[in-house]
Amino acid sequence: MYLYNATDQRLVDDRVIQFRGQMERFLAGCLSEDDFRPLRLQNGLYIQRHAPMLRVAIPYGTLSSRQLRKLADIARRYDRGYGHFTTRSNIQFNWVRLEEAPEILAELATVQMHAIQTSGNCIRNITTDQFAGAAADEIFDPRPYCELVRQWSTLAPEFLFLPRKFKIAIAGGREDRAAVRFHDIGASARVGEDGRIGFEIFVGGGLGRTPMVGKLLKDFLPREELLNFFEAILRVYNRYGRRDNKYKARIKILVKELGLETFAKEVEDEWEWSRGGPNTIEAATFNDMEAFFARLDYPPADPHDPAYRQALQYNRAFARWVERNVARHRVEGYAIVTLSLKKTGIPPGDATAEQMEGIADLAERFSADEIRVSHEQNLVLPHVARKDLLALWQGARALGLATPNIGLLTDVVCCPGGDFCSLANARSIPVAAAIQQRFDDLDYLFDLGPLELNMSGCVNACGHHHIGHIGILGVDKNGEEWCQVTLGGREGQRGALGRVIGPSFAAEEIPDVIGRLLEVYLAARHEGEVFVDTVERIGLDPFKARVYGEEHAAHH
Amino acid sequence: MPRIIKDGRIADDPWRWVTTDEVMTPECLAGDEHLLLPLPLWQDQQDRHDRARTGVWLAPDDPFIALLPWLAELPLIAIHFPVFTDGRGYSLARLLRSRYAYAGELRAVGDVLRDQIYFLHNCGFDAFCLRADQAPEEALGAFGDYAWTPVAGRGRALGV
């Protein structure tokens, strides 16, 4: 993991002092609400429906055990004993007191953490593949680049007041687990024919009110030019992005209005000038950075450990968990474990202070002290010896974190919704809970196979509903909560936006509606065909007919 | 005389801000006043003999490219911030200082508050005309908000 140097530490310490001063001036009435708002937002502090909410940055979703223990400590002392992991791999504390926020930031600074740029119209937390550095299909580890971009973007003075927020994702695997096509900038690892290391760059992707798949801006950007090129993109956006209408202010709208070609020309013009300039990354910098993340000290571990083999054969619950929650590691004898924060009845992504401490202990024992946050709102232990899986599973089960549902229907991605968020049009947590309760049968879930269901409580799409195989969007109809359903969205190389199937449903109808959609799939699927592929093959009509058939007939 | 922050100190400001709808008489232009003209007017008055007393101010979307041939002799460029959350001026400053090597005074005017000074300064501004309700004395501390300087060579070419 990256460790702060004196400069990094000084920066977060100075930030605490600065924000404490701003808070004092605000509480003393010397700073108006309007002048204070952007300052508190740039420190992750929102005013929500019931209380202020503090969003803490987890850069590229990586935590040490010590950091996770601190988050547990903050949850207990400053909140109501839990935190919520978000789809941007951050954590939110929903019940903090405004005047205590500088204290919490000071606590975070003691473990090299902060809430800088977790909100506001600036470059937000950098995200990546939760399996980075561990995935078997990795081209190269994206984290050294994430860290370089984190350092460059933290308090990047030129880009603190952009037209709108700006999200960057960097992925290193052959498979895209970071949704790079759905970010303002997405970078995907590439090795050129001559062996040069670089990235494929996408621009203008995003969800929200106007969802778009990112467009390919550059098929190969040499890695040393990463910051120069990003700066060129940001500068063009900062100067020309719309500021008259916040719904048209994201870079995707600028790219659309200018056209990709014109936008690319502007960027090339900026880059032409800065190329090879002071922000060019030197080879030594890459080496230093890679040294933080390289992990070569895996003790040899027998992939065929007899006790593990036996447990797989005779312990059905364990075997199911291994099937769903354990992924291949690049080192033989090791595995990547996903701890499910999607137990039925618990708001997706929530973890209690006790669970966080328990996970910190498990990471210390089994995963080299390291934890990752996935954008699907689960926690990952990236380096577990296969022979330790049984003991880890037992530990996770005791904490209520071993639901074997990763990538299945009940692994619902879900924003906090109307229960907390003041932007929401509808509550999302009760809908997610109703779905989990209805489809709680593991045999049924396993038979359904991989199926991603994402739910957002409003068009801002924090629950990424557009890229769920099934997407649910909460809408308000005359004060009642309704849900719009989309089908066919997906992440990854074949990234696509879901399409709306028709008129919305009352929130309480949703489990039934999903049941009917699943019946269509089960009847139509080919052997081994996953839900979203069936949707792609047969189109929306059979689903619409099953869901709306009779009502439609009655209307016509 | 109004006061501004310049080079990290409080200073008197001799410049008169000329608005876009002001009509400049020949007498006024011939006088020895320090005039800070909006870009369109500055373009019309480029032959004003007293170049040392003629500055220009830019709105965030002004085509500043027109200034490029004159950068070496311009004593002052001011960039207007209609609201402090409009960040276009930061990129303009960065471009003027680094890409186009402007070395004269670069002043932030308009909705300029204490809490942005550190970052404005980092982008190349060396003078600040704060919003009327802001006390320049109290804002001087902002230059020390962070001990840190931007990483990876950011700002090295700025000459600030």
Side-chain angles (χ1 to χ4, degrees):
Chain A
M1 278 183 67
Y2 181 73
L3 292 174
Y4 276 12
N5 60 26
T7 310
D8 296 310
Q9 188 63 49
R10 183 71 194 261
L11 188 152
V12 294
D13 290 342
D14 282 348
R15 178 67 156 204
V16 171
I17 295 166
Q18 187 194 39
F19 188 57
R20 191 173 271 143
Q22 289 164 347
M23 180 67 82
E24 278 165 12
R25 280 186 280 141
F26 173 68
L27 294 174
C30 306
L31 204 52
S32 73
E33 179 64 46
D34 281 348
D35 291 344
F36 182 59
R37 188 183 305 109
L39 303 178
R40 69 166 160 76
L41 285 177
Q42 288 197 338
N43 287 288
L45 191 59
Y46 284 77
I47 306 295
Q48 291 281 55
R49 193 159 288 216
H50 309 292
M53 178 272 277
L54 183 70
R55 182 184 292 150
V56 174
I58 302 177
Y60 36 97
T62 299
L63 286 167
S64 67
S65 293
R66 182 166 166 249
Q67 289 173 323
L68 188 54
R69 285 202 185 94
K70 177 54 78 181
L71 295 177
D73 176 51
I74 288 169
R76 199 174 275 129
R77 284 163 57 207
Y78 296 96
D79 199 291
R80 295 187 179 175
Y82 69 96
H84 173 77
F85 290 95
T86 76
T87 53
R88 303 216 65 258
S89 78
N90 290 318
I91 185 168
Q92 295 181 177
F93 294 109
N94 279 314
W95 302 96
V96 300
R97 278 174 286 272
L98 189 77
E99 61 280 10
E100 283 181 350
E103 278 320 299
I104 303 175
L105 297 183
E107 295 275 357
L108 289 169
T110 65
V111 294
Q112 312 194 341
M113 293 185 79
H114 59 75
I116 298 169
Q117 290 168 221
T118 57
S119 176
N121 295 333
C122 49
I123 304 172
R124 302 289 191 88
N125 188 29
I126 313 299
T127 52
T128 189
D129 179 350
Q130 67 269 26
F131 295 170
D137 73 338
E138 193 153 83
I139 300 167
F140 55 81
D141 188 344
R143 291 171 300 164
Y145 306 92
C146 292
E147 177 56 29
L148 284 165
V149 175
R150 183 197 74 81
Q151 294 187 9
W152 161 79
S153 63
T154 300
L155 305 193
E158 186 179 346
F159 305 125
L160 290 174
F161 296 100
L162 297 169
R164 200 76 179 86
K165 58 188 166 185
F166 201 91
K167 299 173 181 175
I168 299 175
I170 304 175
R174 271 172 227 292
E175 201 181 309
D176 168 22
R177 281 173 294 264
V180 294
R181 286 165 186 77
F182 297 100
H183 283 76
D184 295 288
I185 295 178
S188 200
R190 286 288 171 274
V191 175
E193 279 171 20
D194 50 1
R196 283 208 301 171
I197 294 173
F199 294 91
E200 187 179 28
I201 307 290
F202 296 89
V203 71
L207 302 175
R209 189 172 293 256
T210 318
M212 288 187 198
V213 182
K215 297 177 179 61
L216 184 63
L217 183 61
K218 201 154 204 61
D219 46 20
F220 186 82
L221 178 74
R223 63 174 185 168
E224 62 273 14
E225 287 295 325
L226 198 63
L227 300 182
N228 287 329
F229 195 70
F230 282 10
E231 192 159 282
I233 295 173
L234 262 302
R235 187 167 295 145
V236 169
Y237 171 55
N238 193 33
R239 293 188 62 205
Y240 302 116
R242 284 180 64 171
R243 290 173 186 268
D244 59 328
N245 178 344
K246 77 177 218 176
Y247 301 125
K248 295 188 189 267
R250 295 290 288 271
I251 195 173
K252 59 192 168 189
I253 305 290
L254 178 67
V255 173
K256 185 166 173 254
E257 288 183 354
L258 286 179
L260 181 63
E261 210 175 307
T262 309
F263 177 81
K265 215 166 136 263
E266 291 285 343
V267 172
E268 291 291 327
D269 175 64
E270 271 305 320
W271 185 43
E272 190 57 43
W273 166 74
S274 63
R275 198 171 181 166
N279 268 342
T280 308
I281 307 164
E282 288 165 14
T285 308
F286 289 121
N287 294 340
D288 292 349
M289 206 48 89
E290 278 160 6
F292 280 110
F293 298 97
R295 197 168 170 260
L296 307 162
D297 58 335
Y298 295 95
D302 180 5
H304 308 293
D305 179 70
Y308 166 61
R309 289 278 143 199
Q310 201 175 7
L312 270 189
Q313 201 173 348
Y314 297 108
N315 185 337
R316 186 149 181 254
F318 173 64
R320 272 187 154 156
W321 177 78
V322 170
E323 185 184 338
R324 288 314 322 169
N325 298 33
V326 175
R328 257 187 77 208
H329 196 283
R330 64 188 175 82
V331 176
E332 203 189 19
Y334 282 80
I336 307 168
V337 170
T338 302
L339 300 170
S340 173
L341 297 183
K342 309 298 177 65
K343 192 178 173 181
T344 296
I346 309 289
D350 276 14
T352 64
E354 291 70 29
Q355 285 176 320
M356 289 187 237
E357 281 161 351
I359 295 164
D361 292 344
L362 291 175
E364 215 163 57
R365 271 176 71 198
F366 300 119
S367 178
D369 246 2
E370 216 183 302
I371 303 106
R372 308 281 177 77
V373 186
S374 75
H375 76 274
E376 292 94 353
Q377 303 172 287
N378 292 306
L379 295 180
V380 172
L381 301 183
H383 308 292
V384 182
R386 288 211 171 250
K387 65 178 172 51
D388 292 334
L389 284 173
L390 184 61
L392 169 57
W393 172 70
Q394 286 161 341
R397 216 151 81 124
L399 293 165
L401 297 166
T403 312
N405 64 349
I406 299 306
L408 300 180
L409 175 64
T410 54
D411 184 8
V412 176
V413 172
C414 179
C415 69
D419 289 300
F420 297 97
C421 178
S422 37
L423 299 174
N425 294 322
R427 289 171 302 156
S428 49
I429 293 170
V431 176
I435 293 167
Q436 288 176 324
Q437 273 150 19
R438 165 68 72 89
F439 303 102
D440 204 21
D441 181 79
L442 277 181
D443 291 326
Y444 180 73
L445 284 176
F446 271 65
D447 178 49
L448 277 177
L451 204 173
E452 295 169 13
L453 186 143
N454 297 2
M455 158 112 205
S456 306
C458 76
V459 290
N460 292 305
C462 295
H464 297 176
H465 62 279
H466 301 108
I467 51 173
H469 302 166
I470 299 177
I472 302 176
L473 166 66
V475 291
D476 175 89
K477 265 195 190 176
N478 306 320
E480 286 174 26
E481 293 177 332
W482 287 65
C483 294
Q484 194 181 66
V485 175
T486 51
L487 286 182
R490 65 162 97 203
E491 307 184 26
Q493 312 280 12
R494 293 161 70 195
L497 298 164
R499 287 168 294 158
V500 178
I501 62 167
S504 51
F505 307 92
E508 55 274 16
E509 292 179 274
I510 285 296
D512 283 342
V513 170
I514 288 172
R516 275 177 262 157
L517 295 172
L518 296 177
E519 285 167 25
V520 175
Y521 161 63
L522 290 174
R525 71 174 165 186
H526 290 161
E527 176 81 27
E529 187 181 48
V530 301
F531 178 85
V532 67
D533 287 337
T534 303
V535 173
E536 196 174 297
R537 179 172 56 82
I538 68 175
L540 296 190
D541 287 344
F543 294 96
K544 288 183 184 174
R546 179 71 184 88
V547 172
Y548 297 110
E550 292 162 28
E551 292 163 45
H552 267 222
H555 285 304
H556 294 287
Chain B
M1 207 175 277
R3 293 175 318 148
I4 60 163
I5 296 175
K6 194 176 171 193
D7 298 326
R9 284 186 297 273
I10 310 283
D12 287 330
D13 177 27
W15 293 88
R16 179 158 87 78
W17 174 273
V18 178
T19 60
T20 42
D21 47 13
E22 224 170 300
V23 180
M24 298 304 287
T25 62
E27 296 74 40
C28 185
L29 286 163
D32 62 358
E33 238 183 335
H34 286 71
L35 296 178
L36 189 47
L37 305 176
L39 181 65
L41 194 52
W42 179 86
Q43 284 174 298
D44 288 346
Q45 304 300 335
Q46 270 176 35
D47 51 353
R48 190 185 183 211
H49 68 279
D50 197 351
R51 292 206 178 280
R53 289 197 178 87
T54 313
V56 62
W57 68 265
L58 302 172
D61 57 350
D62 271 343
F64 75 98
I65 248 53
L67 292 178
L68 297 185
W70 309 95
L71 287 184
E73 33 191 314
L74 262 170
L76 168 61
I77 299 175
I79 294 174
H80 184 239
F81 290 81
V83 289
F84 75 89
T85 50
D86 182 338
R88 287 176 289 183
Y90 292 79
S91 281
L92 287 186
R94 198 29 88 78
L95 281 169
L96 283 168
R97 282 293 194 221
S98 51
R99 185 165 179 175
Y100 302 112
Y102 171 65
E105 179 181 334
L106 189 57
R107 185 188 291 193
V109 295
D111 200 31
V112 179
L113 314 181
R114 182 216 184 278
D115 294 291
Q116 282 76 54
I117 285 179
Y118 178 84
F119 304 107
L120 290 165
H121 182 234
N122 251 289
C123 284
F125 288 100
D126 55 1
F128 308 87
C129 180
L130 300 185
R131 194 172 75 187
D133 65 342
Q134 305 279 302
E137 291 80 2
E138 285 169 29
L140 284 178
F143 292 100
D145 274 355
Y146 295 91
W148 146 96
T149 42
V151 292
R154 266 192 298 144
R156 232 186 274 159
L158 286 181
V160 294

